[in-house]
Amino acid sequence: MPCARTVGIMVQLIASRMSRNDWIRMGKLLEIMDQQHGIVLTEQQESLLFDDLHAIMEINQTMNLTRILSEEDGMVLHLEDSVLGLPYVQAAPEGLYGDLGTGGGFPGIPLCILTGRETLLVDSVKKKVRALEPVAETLGIGDALSTYGGRIEDLALERRGMFSVLTARALSSLGSLLELASPLLREGGRLVCYKAQPSDEELDTAFGIMKPLGFKLVCDDAHELSDGSHRRIFVFEKVGDARIELPRRIGMAQRNPLTAADFKAKSKPKARKNRRRA
Ligand code: SAH
């Protein structure tokens, strides 16, 4: 539950539709992150986060980067939401971070700002990720951040096992994310998934295939954003090899997602063959 003070701040903010400069001056994001989520940011970090949001909103006027159209909404639905993942990314082993299906750079750019990790923003729409490069330069994180304009499945062929941590927000079902992330992560690496309200069916499918894809679940945390919307963050750790060859053909992970039955079906013929040999 948000504390009375936070509720007061939110009412005030919604009522006044503050400008970006007002937000920064009054340190609202700092306060919300600290009081509601226990995440402490510096004023300099907050200022960079707003610069990022502002830049993305500017680009969004001519290119479809995000469906969120105002900076006020973006402050909660992009910045607050993105920063929620910070402790989970920090808890992953050191090394390369990738934001899968980054769109307008969320949560990738905020998390690059806050962690300083070497970061790769991945999106199949090349012009989207190209538009993010000058934003990173302006924010002073150009050295840490690079982009990949292509499919996650192709990235997996080029940079297999090279990532220590991946994030994915509003990209695909949990099961598809596990499949896409599996070949990219090194052992001990973590996949941080931002979800709104996944259905029981989505969860059953994901939990049914996580082991054969080489994962174990390490976190399933519920959060409430300051606008009252609900989030769940799932973190999976890569603990071994997947039992099938990955990546599958382009598009298969999302169009034709794996289920536990696929792995059962695969193990049966092998078992029969072994019996015949014995
Ligand atoms: N993470 C952002 C954008 C979500 S929209 C946010 O939360 O705001 C999903 C994005 O994923 C789109 O930009 C789409 O182009 C990209 N995408 C979907 N499937 C992909 C794939 N297989 N490989 C790379 N990018 C993909």
Side-chain angles (χ1 to χ4, degrees):
M1 277 295 287
C3 67
R5 188 148 172 236
T6 308
V7 171
I9 292 164
M10 290 316 297
V11 169
Q12 194 191 333
L13 290 172
I14 291 159
S16 63
R17 307 296 285 176
M18 285 180 179
S19 72
R20 167 175 166 265
N21 286 339
D22 287 333
W23 278 101
I24 294 170
R25 196 164 51 242
M26 297 183 65
K28 294 309 173 201
L29 182 61
L30 279 187
E31 195 161 341
I32 289 167
M33 290 319 303
D34 186 6
Q35 296 194 355
Q36 198 155 331
H37 307 297
I39 297 175
V40 178
L41 305 178
T42 65
E43 281 178 16
Q44 194 198 3
Q45 288 172 329
E46 184 193 44
S47 172
L48 280 174
L49 293 173
F50 274 101
D51 288 345
D52 173 32
L53 180 64
H54 186 62
I56 297 303
M57 291 299 172
E58 288 280 312
I59 299 172
N60 210 40
Q61 305 209 349
T62 52
M63 185 190 289
N64 186 16
L65 279 181
T66 166
R67 276 180 293 126
I68 293 160
L69 298 176
S70 75
E71 289 194 27
E72 284 78 9
D73 291 343
M75 136 62 208
V76 176
L77 299 174
H78 280 327
L79 298 185
E80 183 184 349
D81 194 24
S82 292
V83 179
L84 265 188
L86 178 65
Y88 305 95
V89 170
Q90 283 171 329
E94 272 181 30
L96 183 60
Y97 159 48
D99 185 28
L100 303 180
T102 196
F106 298 107
I109 295 181
L111 292 178
C112 179
I113 291 171
L114 299 177
T115 62
R117 276 191 195 248
E118 186 189 350
T119 299
L120 186 69
L121 303 180
V122 183
D123 203 288
S124 52
V125 182
K126 282 194 176 57
K127 69 171 187 185
K128 282 192 191 177
V129 290
R130 280 211 197 103
L132 301 177
E133 287 167 4
V135 176
E137 288 297 333
T138 312
L139 295 172
I141 53 167
D143 287 348
L145 190 141
S146 49
T147 65
Y148 181 84
R151 304 275 314 192
I152 298 160
E153 297 92 322
D154 284 327
L155 179 67
L157 297 172
E158 294 169 32
R159 303 187 76 171
R160 178 173 288 274
M162 289 177 73
F163 289 81
S164 293
V165 58
L166 297 168
T167 52
R169 190 183 80 151
L171 170 60
S172 271
S173 67
L174 273 182
S176 301
L177 296 179
L178 288 167
E179 177 179 346
L180 290 168
S182 179
L184 287 165
L185 283 171
R186 69 170 164 96
E187 203 166 320
R190 291 189 170 194
L191 168 65
V192 179
C193 306
Y194 292 65
K195 282 277 156 185
Q197 275 165 324
S199 66
D200 288 346
E201 194 191 343
E202 178 178 351
L203 296 181
D204 287 349
T205 304
F207 296 154
I209 61 173
M210 69 181 173
K211 272 195 197 153
L213 289 176
F215 285 101
K216 73 172 184 193
L217 179 72
V218 289
C219 288
D220 167 6
D221 290 345
H223 296 275
E224 187 177 334
L225 296 182
S226 57
D227 67 353
S229 55
H230 294 275
R231 291 287 180 275
R232 261 167 92 175
I233 294 195
F234 295 89
V235 183
F236 298 90
E237 185 174 316
K238 185 83 189 297
V239 288
D241 290 334
R243 274 175 40 198
I244 56 166
E245 204 176 313
L246 294 174
R248 289 192 290 156
R249 250 185 312 120
I250 290 281
M252 292 285 276
Q254 287 152 291
R255 275 203 312 271
N256 187 10
L258 294 167
T259 66
D262 290 307
F263 293 96
K264 283 191 195 116
K266 279 202 163 47
S267 60
K268 268 183 198 153
K270 211 191 259 169
R272 275 201 296 272
K273 215 156 98 194
N274 288 345
R275 271 203 300 276
R276 267 206 301 275
R277 245 190 255 132

